[in-house]
Amino acid sequence: MEFSGAVLDVDGTVVRGDDPIPGAPAGYRRLREAGTETLFVSNNPTKAPPAYVDRLGAAGYEIDADQVFTAGTVTTRYLRERHADDALLCIGDPGLLDQFEAAGLATTDDVDAAEALIASIDRGFDYDDLCTALWALDRDIPFIGTDPDVVIPAPERDVPGSGAVINAIAGVAERDPDAVLGKPSDTAIEMVRERLPYPPDECLVVGDRLDTDIALGERAGMTTALVLSGVTDEAAVADASVTPDYVLDDLGDVDRVIG
């Protein structure tokens, strides 16, 4: 098949940590040689797109910032559209707050002044943060998560992601988030379609997660390819409610899809 555009996940698909996944750079080059426009979409909310230029460039992927967006980008857009004038209480990485500040969004540490709670990956998350979230949500303010990833690939082994923090807060507050952004949210799909303005049947989505990458592609009507180089194994594919069109060992096998 020939594809005009391809959405590529980052962690677990093209890199693990800062190192390229074996075979993946060659698969990326194959897509580019085929004339496919590529867009990297990460559910990592902690860094803005320019940070990926150096990280991915060092790993063998030549890109510019316009070829990347993240769960932080998606969350920032959602908040600017719906909560532009609200005081946001954010439990998350400092890099996420930097993105909010750059977008002109206002944040607060005051649980009684907060007009929305944003929850995300936070490596310093603790009991005090649970108390803060509980007290803020007791006031029935909107509860928004940056992305659903419960675990994420890391250099040595998988580690907890944003979904772990969001689920902990949801458990203590006894309420589900009003929105969870990143992939496969409607806002993320809208941004993919803007960046890759091609018919859905001319677009490919490649990623290592069924519930985010493959679900995004399925919801958007695009062809999907799951890679087994990240957090998902073949046993999980058999039991999943989301079915990829292709299952590849890694991005280096992309010729099976576009060959």
Side-chain angles (χ1 to χ4, degrees):
M1 297 178 66
E2 294 183 359
F3 293 98
S4 299
V7 177
L8 304 178
D9 176 50
V10 177
D11 294 290
T13 300
V14 299
V15 292
R16 181 173 281 271
D18 291 327
D19 296 324
I21 288 173
Y28 173 68
R29 289 192 295 272
R30 179 71 183 88
L31 284 167
R32 300 296 289 165
E33 290 165 359
T36 304
E37 183 178 351
T38 54
L39 177 66
F40 290 86
V41 182
S42 171
N43 260 6
N44 182 343
T46 66
K47 293 180 174 61
Y52 283 80
V53 175
D54 292 337
R55 180 189 176 199
L56 294 179
Y61 305 94
E62 186 176 338
I63 65 166
D64 58 47
D66 290 337
Q67 286 178 263
V68 186
F69 72 79
T70 72
T73 318
V74 178
T75 302
T76 300
R77 173 166 171 160
Y78 179 93
L79 293 173
R80 289 188 66 182
E81 291 175 346
R82 294 167 174 81
H83 299 279
D85 299 321
D86 290 348
L88 308 173
L89 178 60
C90 183
I91 295 176
D93 187 271
L96 180 63
L97 274 75
D98 289 344
Q99 293 173 68
F100 292 168
E101 181 180 359
L105 296 167
T107 59
T108 182
D109 294 325
D110 185 344
V111 296
D112 296 316
E115 295 170 283
L117 174 71
I118 317 303
S120 184
I121 185 171
D122 183 349
R123 290 169 178 82
F125 182 69
D126 60 15
Y127 186 81
D128 287 342
D129 290 318
L130 273 179
C131 291
T132 296
L134 175 63
W135 298 333
L137 293 178
D138 274 346
R139 298 174 44 245
D140 200 30
I141 62 175
F143 173 21
I144 298 156
T146 58
D147 64 278
D149 292 14
V150 175
V151 297
I152 53 176
E156 300 299 325
R157 60 181 66 184
D158 295 343
V159 297
S162 297
V165 174
I166 295 164
N167 290 347
I169 292 171
V172 75
E174 298 185 321
R175 61 174 281 193
D176 292 331
D178 298 288
V180 178
L181 301 166
K183 297 173 289 187
S185 70
D186 289 343
T187 306
I189 292 172
E190 181 180 307
M191 293 179 70
V192 166
R193 286 174 169 156
E194 289 172 0
R195 302 285 185 94
L196 298 176
Y198 308 111
D201 61 2
E202 293 182 20
C203 294
L204 171 68
V205 179
V206 184
D208 70 314
R209 303 186 72 102
L210 291 161
D211 60 343
T212 58
D213 305 310
I214 305 307
L216 179 143
E218 185 175 277
R219 292 185 64 208
M222 299 174 180
T223 300
T224 59
L226 178 79
V227 290
L228 302 177
S229 53
V231 300
T232 305
D233 58 22
E234 288 186 280
V237 177
D239 296 333
S241 58
V242 178
T243 304
D245 296 304
Y246 298 88
V247 178
L248 312 176
D249 286 337
D250 54 62
L251 184 59
D253 290 336
V254 75
D255 271 335
R256 285 182 47 200
V257 184
I258 66 171

